[in-house]
Amino acid sequence: ITAFGGVKDTRHRGFIPTAETASFIMSGAKLADRLICQQFLQPEATLFKGKWLSLEGQGVNEPIWTSSIVPSTELIAFTTTGYMGDPEFGMSFPAEKIETDRTWDELVLSGETMNEVQEVLDWILHEQTVLKDWGLGQKLMPGYRALFYGPPGTGKTFTTTLMGNAAGREVYRIDLSMVVSKYIGETEKNLKNVFDKAQSRGWILFFDEADALFGKRTSISDSKDRFANQEVSYLLQRVERYPGLVILASNFKSNIDDAFLRRFQAIVHFPMPGPIERLALWKAALPESLVLAADVSLEELARNYELSGADIMQAIQFASVQALANREGVLTLEDIVRGVRREFQKAGRI
């Protein structure tokens, strides 16, 4: 019957409920109840704002009641299995969860950088007390924004995942290749889905290689520049309104738009590790089952070769494979230096 609503798709021959169906079940023919029901179907309602449900398929000049009610993959998983699944990664949700089983003991940073990282973690752990119990939430902007900048492989992503573990929060990395679209308005739409879901679940949002989205705005010379600047402005507004933690990672601080920099509560520099940090990284990277040859001196390796933590891991990986292939688990200086040379060549360094 018409009052019950519902539609049939071209590929699915079964009944697909619409907003009209929900209204009929909850309110029947009572107009007053139907008006109350309509409040639960608005975009700002809890289930829709958090993207647990979505209304899709509303035609031009058609009322909201004709829209199909589509549950999210997480809601379906929770109601059928009791386990909250992860959002389905794709164009409509361009973010993926990142996590690690490693511990803080394996993170090697300079003393100053570690102190600044601890300040960000302290905010996550004591956020509710400061904002709600102490009442500062009425005076401060919501959320916390941090910029991690420095050369590749210096621990920006690793640090973010460790902070998520310490705070008991999931970390989602935004896939910039899926966010940025050549079609006008699509970039904002893709980001809105991520921010809406993240806000209702308390996620930490991590923008890796943030220069692509948060770069400096340019002078307007054509329509492309205008729309690109609109995307940056939209990002600025959403990041500023997000009540959780947003971390941007970049190789260079100077690439980030000044409007974002003014709104960061923390700007943390991840420099290339010095000799002391490199020695700790070499020791942490070596597998316990591998035997070092007599001519290998980790102190000399740390002193002579300026490498990041990721570079050292790659060099150890190469040398380990060579050791297993040629010498049954004995790691020689020659293999390690060859691995180091490969890392320098990849970076275009002498």
Side-chain angles (χ1 to χ4, degrees):
I1 59 176
T2 304
F4 196 67
V7 294
K8 285 189 175 182
D9 202 340
T10 56
R11 290 167 295 183
H12 178 65
R13 305 302 295 273
F15 177 85
I16 299 177
T18 60
E20 188 76 56
T21 310
S23 176
F24 183 85
I25 293 174
M26 289 191 285
S27 60
K30 298 179 180 179
L31 179 60
D33 290 346
R34 183 180 175 89
L35 295 176
I36 295 175
C37 173
Q38 187 172 353
Q39 300 176 12
F40 297 103
L41 299 174
Q42 299 302 315
E44 61 272 13
T46 302
L47 289 175
F48 293 95
K49 187 175 182 180
K51 298 299 180 180
W52 300 105
L53 297 175
S54 61
L55 293 175
E56 299 180 7
Q58 180 180 357
V60 180
N61 298 326
E62 291 183 349
I64 190 176
W65 308 105
T66 61
S67 304
S68 301
I69 297 181
V70 181
S72 66
T73 54
E74 310 102 283
L75 183 60
I76 293 175
F78 180 72
T79 53
T80 55
T81 67
Y83 169 74
M84 185 68 71
D86 298 329
E88 186 175 351
F89 176 72
M91 290 299 296
S92 60
F93 185 77
E96 56 182 345
K97 183 165 69 173
I98 57 174
E99 49 192 347
T100 183
D101 295 328
R102 300 166 67 184
T103 64
W104 286 96
D105 296 334
E106 300 177 65
L107 178 64
V108 180
L109 299 174
S110 65
E112 182 178 356
T113 302
M114 183 62 80
N115 290 337
E116 294 177 347
V117 168
Q118 184 62 48
E119 292 174 4
V120 179
L121 181 59
D122 288 340
W123 180 87
I124 303 176
L125 298 177
H126 304 293
E127 164 193 8
Q128 297 301 316
T129 301
V130 172
L131 297 181
K132 294 186 177 180
D133 298 347
W134 292 1
L136 289 179
Q138 300 176 357
K139 303 177 181 179
L140 299 175
M141 292 293 296
Y144 198 93
R145 290 153 290 280
L147 172 65
F148 291 174
Y149 75 97
T154 50
K156 299 183 288 294
T157 303
F158 182 30
T159 300
T160 303
T161 55
L162 289 176
M163 293 171 67
N165 289 349
R169 301 189 185 186
E170 295 180 337
V171 180
Y172 274 79
R173 176 169 54 197
I174 313 301
D175 189 328
L176 301 182
S177 65
M178 288 192 170
V179 167
V180 180
S181 174
K182 64 181 180 180
Y183 298 106
I184 298 173
E186 283 298 310
T187 298
E188 292 86 341
K189 180 181 177 182
N190 295 340
L191 283 169
K192 184 179 185 301
N193 291 333
V194 176
F195 275 103
D196 288 345
K197 282 195 174 186
Q199 184 167 336
S200 65
R201 295 156 176 79
W203 293 338
I204 296 174
L205 293 181
F206 180 66
F207 288 84
D208 199 6
E209 302 294 340
D211 317 52
L213 277 177
F214 298 85
K216 291 183 180 294
R217 282 172 282 194
T218 60
S219 58
I220 298 176
S221 59
D222 55 28
S223 60
K224 294 181 180 179
D225 293 335
R226 182 182 300 108
F227 290 119
N229 288 346
Q230 287 178 1
E231 292 175 357
V232 176
S233 299
Y234 174 81
L235 276 169
L236 179 61
Q237 295 174 9
R238 287 312 303 254
V239 168
E240 197 170 33
R241 296 200 312 265
Y242 184 65
L245 174 62
V246 176
I247 297 177
L248 276 63
S250 175
N251 293 340
F252 301 100
K253 173 184 172 183
S254 58
N255 289 348
I256 304 299
D257 192 279
D258 293 337
F260 286 106
L261 292 178
R262 290 195 299 269
R263 289 164 171 81
F264 286 127
Q265 282 89 346
I267 298 179
V268 184
H269 183 211
F270 284 72
M272 286 290 288
I276 297 177
E277 290 81 21
R278 290 199 294 267
L279 178 58
L281 289 167
W282 278 108
K283 291 180 178 179
L286 285 171
E288 296 180 359
S289 56
L290 277 177
V291 179
L292 284 178
D295 60 344
V296 176
S297 171
L298 298 182
E299 289 76 9
E300 289 188 9
L301 291 172
R303 184 169 56 252
N304 294 337
Y305 302 112
E306 185 180 359
L307 298 167
S308 67
D311 294 335
I312 291 174
M313 288 297 301
Q314 292 289 341
I316 288 292
Q317 179 183 8
F318 172 82
S320 299
V321 173
Q322 297 302 309
L324 291 173
N326 303 326
R327 300 174 186 84
E328 298 182 353
V330 178
L331 206 62
T332 66
L333 180 61
E334 179 184 0
D335 290 335
I336 295 177
V337 172
R338 286 176 60 195
V340 170
R341 183 180 295 114
R342 287 165 56 92
E343 297 308 308
F344 275 78
Q345 290 173 343
K346 286 191 294 185
R349 300 164 62 191
I350 297 176

